[in-house]
Amino acid sequence: WLPVVLPAPAHAEPIDIAKSLVNYAVRAELDILHDPEGTLTLAEMLGSVSPSRFSPATRLHFPRCDCALWTRFQLINPTPQTRQVLLMNPWPYVNTIDLYAVKADGSHEHHLLGSHRRHLQGRILHRYEVQPLLVGPGETITLFTRHASANAINVGVNLFSPEHLMDFLLRDEKMTITHLRVAQVYGEGMRTNRIIPVMRKELKERNSITVFGNGERTINFIEVKKLLSVMSFFITNEVA
């Protein structure tokens, strides 16, 4: 048995990702910690490092220094469905950024960002890096970022709801974007381990369908041919 160390809450309320987020700048919600030796790790952030060493960020720009800067903030998904949020790094010249998304049970995702890593990996798709994150129903996650750079360091990220990112990136282009929030798609050729084929098989073999849960959850489905007809309509007609 191993003890689970949970992240300490940030000073501000978690950011509600169910709201429409368009280039939402995480600034007031940001806590910051200065690591002069540049040696602190996530395990220490969750364990031996006193939460009081974090303080509300009063500035976002730091001149060149041989150090690392950690930031912390929280996201909450109050809805009964898993939701995606996009994190954009608005500072393209920070060499390395480690992004840790820590769940309530202590598990975490680790994402490698930063201009130095992009050049090494040959992934220069856009000046601004975008990292998608999934937040489960009713879940609160704590985001830690570790910034290190040979240049000046700027901290802070911007948040987008997925449907708004393309609008923002193409805001100066003469282009109309239509967003379709699609339900779960089913139809001919889909994998046999998906819910519709599984239910059909059970119905055929046992004349029954097994459903787990408390009966309160609803799921929308759309047949693939119907989806194609809807997409064709939007492609072939002008949309205001």
Side-chain angles (χ1 to χ4, degrees):
W1 179 83
L2 293 174
V4 175
V5 180
L6 304 182
H11 79 277
E13 290 294 319
I15 299 169
D16 185 351
I17 66 168
K19 297 180 179 179
S20 181
L21 300 172
V22 185
N23 201 30
Y24 181 88
V26 180
R27 303 294 186 268
E29 301 85 356
L30 206 63
D31 290 338
I32 194 164
L33 182 150
H34 184 217
D35 176 13
E37 303 299 326
T39 58
L40 292 175
T41 65
L42 178 68
E44 291 173 305
M45 290 293 157
L46 300 178
S48 60
V49 172
S50 171
S52 64
R53 289 185 58 183
F54 277 95
S55 59
T58 57
R59 61 187 179 120
L60 304 176
H61 176 76
F62 298 83
R64 179 176 176 176
C65 66
D66 294 324
C67 64
L69 292 170
W70 288 78
T71 69
R72 178 184 66 180
F73 65 98
Q74 293 180 308
L75 303 176
I76 186 171
N77 172 18
T79 74
Q81 293 87 29
T82 296
R83 296 184 71 94
Q84 185 182 67
V85 62
L86 304 178
L87 279 71
M88 186 179 77
N89 170 30
W91 317 110
Y93 301 117
V94 177
N95 291 160
T96 62
I97 302 174
D98 291 271
L99 170 65
Y100 301 95
V102 184
K103 296 179 179 292
D105 62 4
S107 62
H108 72 274
E109 300 175 11
H110 182 198
H111 302 281
L112 305 177
L113 308 173
S115 59
H116 184 62
R117 286 167 172 158
R118 283 188 295 162
H119 282 285
L120 288 178
Q121 298 173 14
R123 52 184 179 92
I124 315 295
L125 299 179
H126 194 275
R127 181 180 183 185
Y128 301 111
E129 293 178 286
V130 175
Q131 178 62 52
L133 290 176
L134 293 176
V135 184
E139 186 176 45
T140 298
I141 63 173
T142 302
L143 280 298
F144 291 90
T145 64
R146 179 188 183 275
H147 298 69
S149 182
N151 307 305
I153 298 177
N154 296 285
V155 298
V157 297
N158 293 7
L159 302 178
F160 289 87
S161 301
E163 62 269 25
H164 296 309
L165 179 64
M166 292 301 294
D167 291 319
F168 175 78
L169 295 178
L170 298 175
R171 61 192 182 281
D172 296 325
E173 304 294 331
K174 295 180 179 179
M175 185 178 300
T176 299
I177 300 175
T178 300
H179 303 279
L180 302 179
R181 277 193 176 273
V182 179
Q184 291 198 40
V185 182
Y186 71 95
E188 184 179 352
M190 71 184 303
R191 298 201 309 269
T192 57
N193 62 346
R194 301 301 298 272
I195 186 170
I196 295 297
V198 168
M199 285 183 170
R200 282 176 171 169
K201 181 180 179 182
E202 184 180 7
L203 184 63
K204 182 177 180 179
E205 295 178 351
R206 303 181 183 180
N207 198 33
S208 65
I209 294 177
T210 303
V211 179
F212 299 93
N214 58 13
E216 296 182 358
R217 182 183 179 187
T218 60
I219 304 176
N220 296 317
F221 292 90
I222 184 170
E223 204 274 332
V224 63
K225 293 181 180 178
K226 174 64 176 178
L227 175 60
L228 290 175
S229 68
V230 172
M231 293 175 64
S232 177
F233 172 84
F234 282 98
I235 291 172
T236 56
N237 292 272
E238 289 191 11
V239 179

